[in-house]
Amino acid sequence: MNLSKLFDIQRVLRDKISYQEDDKFDKMNLAAIVEMAECANEWRGFKYWSKDQEPRTEVLIACEDCGGSGRDLSGYCGSCHGGYIGKTNPVLEEYVDGLHFVLEEGIELYECGELDTLPTFEQVMPLRHLTISKQYKSIIKNILLLEDDFEEGDLVDAHYLALLGDFFGLGQMLGFTLEQIEQEYLRKNQINHKRQEEGY
């Protein structure tokens, strides 16, 4: 994985959004935590109260014209030929939503002088905890530690590398290849650009 390329791509989206208020890092950290929670929600493995703990890794995408029925006003939907236009992996999609914010945190920390350099993937050691639940919690812990570091100016490089290590370790534990992560990131990045252009 070319992490430097992903930082560059994320920087373009960040510049398009162009949010510069003093609360940006605070909001960015909360957004990263929310995306991790949404990813965990699609993974479902923590839902001890439910018999349905299977990850949501394949969901059909319904045609917008017919709503998945396969029929429009003329009787047969010519847009989709059956109601569905593809499949999505909700766990992977939420995971890369989190990646957008993890990358942007690194960019912000680097540009304000808190990080010495933006790391390459070769500098990141994917860390794997005993369970996926612990992995999610460790990511959130590192996000919160980064926020404290940002305010106090301590250990930013170490905690950012730990966050990246935990994040990519989670990807491994969820069964994603680096190629899948990068491809989904690029796909979702295009959607995010389009949303900005449409006034999302």
Side-chain angles (χ1 to χ4, degrees), residues 32-44:
I33 291 168
V34 168
E35 293 301 344
M36 287 293 92
E38 289 178 357
C39 183
N41 196 49
E42 296 293 351
W43 166 64
R44 299 185 64 81

Side-chain angles (χ1 to χ4, degrees), residues 64-113:
E64 290 182 13
D65 293 336
C66 68
S69 69
R71 300 185 180 282
D72 62 10
L73 295 175
S74 67
Y76 181 74
C77 182
S79 297
C80 66
H81 308 291
Y84 297 94
I85 58 171
K87 297 176 185 175
T88 185
N89 182 332
V91 178
L92 179 57
E93 186 170 344
E94 297 298 345
Y95 177 83
V96 299
D97 283 349
L99 179 57
H100 277 83
F101 290 106
V102 168
L103 292 170
E104 191 160 339
E105 285 179 327
I107 294 166
E108 292 294 320
L109 290 167
Y110 173 68
E111 289 186 355
C112 72

Side-chain angles (χ1 to χ4, degrees), residues 140-150 154 159:
I140 292 169
K141 177 189 79 172
N142 278 309
I143 291 168
L144 294 172
L145 285 171
L146 267 180
E147 187 166 333
D148 290 343
D149 294 345
F150 182 70
D154 292 332
H159 284 145

Side-chain angles (χ1 to χ4, degrees), residues 34-59 88-96 128-140 169-176:
V34 168
E35 293 301 344
M36 287 293 92
E38 289 178 357
C39 183
N41 196 49
E42 296 293 351
W43 166 64
R44 299 185 64 81
F46 69 93
K47 298 188 177 197
Y48 63 88
W49 61 88
S50 175
K51 292 182 179 168
D52 180 10
Q53 295 183 24
E54 287 301 311
R56 300 295 189 252
T57 57
E58 188 174 288
V59 174
T88 185
N89 182 332
V91 178
L92 179 57
E93 186 170 344
E94 297 298 345
Y95 177 83
V96 299
R128 295 172 68 161
H129 296 272
L130 291 175
T131 67
I132 293 175
S133 293
K134 289 185 186 305
Q135 195 79 16
Y136 276 111
K137 290 186 283 185
S138 187
I139 290 168
I140 292 169
L170 174 64
Q172 290 177 348
M173 293 174 84
L174 293 172
F176 304 141

Side-chain angles (χ1 to χ4, degrees), residues 8-18 100 104 185 188-189 192-194 196:
D8 290 341
I9 292 168
Q10 185 63 36
R11 187 179 283 113
V12 172
L13 179 62
R14 187 272 317 252
D15 291 347
K16 182 179 273 188
I17 295 168
S18 70
H100 277 83
E104 191 160 339
Y185 171 83
K188 194 63 186 279
N189 188 266
N192 288 337
H193 274 282
K194 186 176 179 187
Q196 288 301 309

Side-chain angles (χ1 to χ4, degrees), residues 1-14 95-96 99-107 118-121 160 164 167-168 177-189 193:
M1 173 178 283
N2 186 340
L3 197 54
S4 299
K5 178 179 91 171
L6 297 187
F7 279 122
D8 290 341
I9 292 168
Q10 185 63 36
R11 187 179 283 113
V12 172
L13 179 62
R14 187 272 317 252
Y95 177 83
V96 299
L99 179 57
H100 277 83
F101 290 106
V102 168
L103 292 170
E104 191 160 339
E105 285 179 327
I107 294 166
L118 285 172
T120 63
F121 191 75
Y160 188 66
L164 288 173
F167 190 85
F168 287 111
T177 66
L178 294 176
E179 292 76 23
Q180 284 176 306
I181 293 167
E182 189 166 347
Q183 286 175 2
E184 181 64 15
Y185 171 83
L186 294 173
R187 184 191 77 80
K188 194 63 186 279
N189 188 266
H193 274 282

